[in-house]
């Protein structure tokens, strides 16, 4: 994709106001948490936003209850299966304190009884009233849906849109998942492999109750707990690199790594020997903003710890390795394939 003679890669990407929030998974969409970045994104303080409902921020020509219905499971699929989605992306105009609507890219993760969302504002975009809410599933069936018309947009140029995209997740049957919000990673706090010290990493700000189904820890014990202390030691290096990539990218990224089934969350408890601590292999979808990171992790399987060689080093299998080229879905891939079906039109293609 080019802009005149300048390619997308060569074009400088502006710093955009971004923030993380949580709202209830129901028709009310009551806001439970929002990071301080909302001040730059919509002009409201965190305390002001906490008194409102997520759907009430939407400025549109469609019924704002359509937003709440995005997260309701399809009636024909009451049990979660490979087509049920937990991650979404959409563009909506949001009310601001100044009264001028701002176009916002919303990436959201549905988990337990709440929705974690990441808002990225495009203040330079002119206001264009949306008559329909269009949503892209980032997992499951990978459908692009017109929620207002209650139908999936099925074709683009005569070809199935679903066939044009690669799934981030392909989970069969019901899966255990949890959502977390972390502080923004501080690269200076991440120790290198050569130091022999375990990096602490960003602290956990919020976690859903389902985390206790993944690891042996109570959600209350994980508040302000360093996330990387949950990660199996053999996966610390590439998990740290994953956070580095999140910090540098505006896109949704994903990685596979192992968590300790019995992490050392309570100070003073006798630590479980590494060779006796099973690994919970998870796939993680993440997005970063200026003041935090949102993660959604899904359980793949439980595995024994890797073996060590004669020098005590882990014999690391290729089971966790991910091809970097397939580790993300870029903004361009998500919004530019059939811009003619959207209210924003070709303008979406130029938003970076």
């Amino acid at each position: 994709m080019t802009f005149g003679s300048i390619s997308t890669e060569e074009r400088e990407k502006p710093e955009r106001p971004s923030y993380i929030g949580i709202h209830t998974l129901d028709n009310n969409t009551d806001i439970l948490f929002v990071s301080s970045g909302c001040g730059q994104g919509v002009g409201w303080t965190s305390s002001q936003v906490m008194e409102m409902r997520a759907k009430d921020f939407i400025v549109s020509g469609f019924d704002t209850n359509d937003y709440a219905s995005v997260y309701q499971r399809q009636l024909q699929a009451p049990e979660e299966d490979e087509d049920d989605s937990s991650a979404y992306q959409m563009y909506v105009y949001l009310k601001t304190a100044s009264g001028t609507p701002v176009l916002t890219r919303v990436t959201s993760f549905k988990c337990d009884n709440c929705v974690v969302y990441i808002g990225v504002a495009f203040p330079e975009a002119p206001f264009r009233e949306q008559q329909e809410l269009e949503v892209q599933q980032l997992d499951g069936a990978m459908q692009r849906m017109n929620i207002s018309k209650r139908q999936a947009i099925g074709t683009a140029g005569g070809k199935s849109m679903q066939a044009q995209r690669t799934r981030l997740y392909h989970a069969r049957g019901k899966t255990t998942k949890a959502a977390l919000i972390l502080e923004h990673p501080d690269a200076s706090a991440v120790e290198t492999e050569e130091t022999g010290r375990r990096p602490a990493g960003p602290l956990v700000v919020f976690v859903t109750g389902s985390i206790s189904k993944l690891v042996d820890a109570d959600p209350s014990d994980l508040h302000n707990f360093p996330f990387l202390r949950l990660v199996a030691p053999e996966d610390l290096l590439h998990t740290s690199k994953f956070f580095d990539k999140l910090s540098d990218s505006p896109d949704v990224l994903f990685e596979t790594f192992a968590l300790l089934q019995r992490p050392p969350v309570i100070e003073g408890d006798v630590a479980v020997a590494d060779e006796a601590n099973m690994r919970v292999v998870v796939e993680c979808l993440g997005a970063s903003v200026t003041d935090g990171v949102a993660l959604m992790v899904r359980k793949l399987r439980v595995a024994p710890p890797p073996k060590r060689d004669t020098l005590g080093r882990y014999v690391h299998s290729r089971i966790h390795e991910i091809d970097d080229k397939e580790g993300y879905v870029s903004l361009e891939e998500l919004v530019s394939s059939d811009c003619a079906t959207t209210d924003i039109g070709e303008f979406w293609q130029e938003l970076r």
Side-chain angles (χ1 to χ4, degrees), residues 50-343:
M50 292 279 289
E51 297 176 356
M52 306 180 193
R53 301 181 299 181
K55 65 181 181 181
D56 292 340
F57 278 93
I58 299 175
V59 180
S60 68
F62 58 84
D63 186 347
T64 56
N65 286 315
D66 288 343
Y67 170 76
S69 71
V70 170
Y71 308 106
Q72 304 303 314
R73 188 166 298 163
Q74 299 296 319
L75 294 177
Q76 61 268 33
E79 294 296 327
E80 181 177 359
D81 58 26
E82 63 184 68
D83 289 334
D84 185 49
S85 184
S86 296
Y88 310 82
Q89 194 164 77
M90 67 199 82
Y91 283 80
V92 291
Y93 285 95
L94 301 183
K95 297 176 184 176
T96 65
S98 67
T100 303
V102 61
L103 182 64
T104 302
R105 184 179 78 220
V106 176
T107 304
S108 55
F109 308 147
K110 177 179 69 176
C111 190
D112 281 2
N113 60 352
C114 66
V115 173
V116 177
Y117 61 92
I118 301 96
V120 179
F122 295 82
E124 76 279 17
F127 175 68
R128 304 181 185 185
E129 185 170 302
Q130 293 173 275
Q131 298 298 327
E132 300 163 355
L133 175 60
E134 189 174 319
V135 179
Q136 172 66 52
Q137 294 180 345
L138 299 184
D139 60 350
M142 287 293 292
Q143 287 183 317
R144 190 165 193 158
M145 304 179 297
N146 188 309
I147 301 299
S148 300
K149 291 184 178 179
R150 295 295 193 275
Q151 62 183 12
I153 298 175
T155 59
K159 297 182 180 179
S160 169
M161 291 188 58
Q162 296 169 28
Q164 297 174 358
R165 295 181 171 85
T166 301
R167 296 185 184 188
L168 293 188
Y169 297 116
H170 187 83
R172 294 187 177 275
K174 297 186 71 174
T175 56
T176 302
K177 60 195 176 206
L180 304 96
I181 294 179
L182 315 179
E183 294 178 321
H184 196 277
D186 181 2
S188 64
V190 178
E191 305 291 348
T192 63
E193 189 178 46
E194 289 74 17
T195 64
R197 291 177 289 173
R198 187 180 182 85
L203 300 182
V204 176
V205 177
F206 168 86
V207 62
T208 57
S210 56
I211 190 68
S212 59
K213 298 178 182 178
L214 289 172
V215 299
D216 186 12
D218 189 270
S220 60
D221 294 331
L222 296 180
H223 184 66
N224 288 329
F225 187 80
F227 177 78
L228 291 181
R229 292 187 62 192
L230 300 174
V231 177
E234 66 273 13
D235 281 350
L236 280 175
L237 184 59
H238 81 263
T239 305
S240 296
K241 290 180 178 179
F242 173 57
F243 283 128
D244 290 340
K245 292 178 183 178
L246 283 176
S247 299
D248 297 334
S249 174
D251 299 318
V252 176
L253 307 182
F254 103 106
E255 182 61 278
T256 301
F257 51 85
L259 302 176
L260 294 172
Q261 190 175 56
R262 299 175 66 184
V265 295
I266 301 179
E267 188 175 353
D269 275 7
V270 178
V272 178
D274 184 67
E275 60 274 14
N277 206 341
M278 299 291 284
R279 278 23 175 191
V280 180
V281 182
V282 299
E283 50 184 358
C284 175
L285 188 153
S288 176
V289 299
T290 53
D291 58 357
V293 172
L295 305 176
M296 185 177 73
V297 294
R298 291 178 188 252
K299 178 180 178 180
L300 293 180
R301 60 191 169 275
V302 177
K307 296 181 180 179
R308 297 174 183 260
D309 61 19
T310 55
L311 298 178
R313 297 173 300 192
Y314 288 106
V315 180
H316 193 72
S317 77
R318 294 178 59 84
I319 199 168
H320 303 317
E321 293 183 6
I322 298 296
D323 183 353
D324 289 340
K325 294 181 180 179
E326 297 180 356
Y328 66 96
V329 174
S330 69
L331 175 60
E332 180 178 353
E333 290 172 326
L334 287 174
V335 304
S336 66
S337 60
D338 68 334
C339 59
T341 65
T342 72
D343 284 327

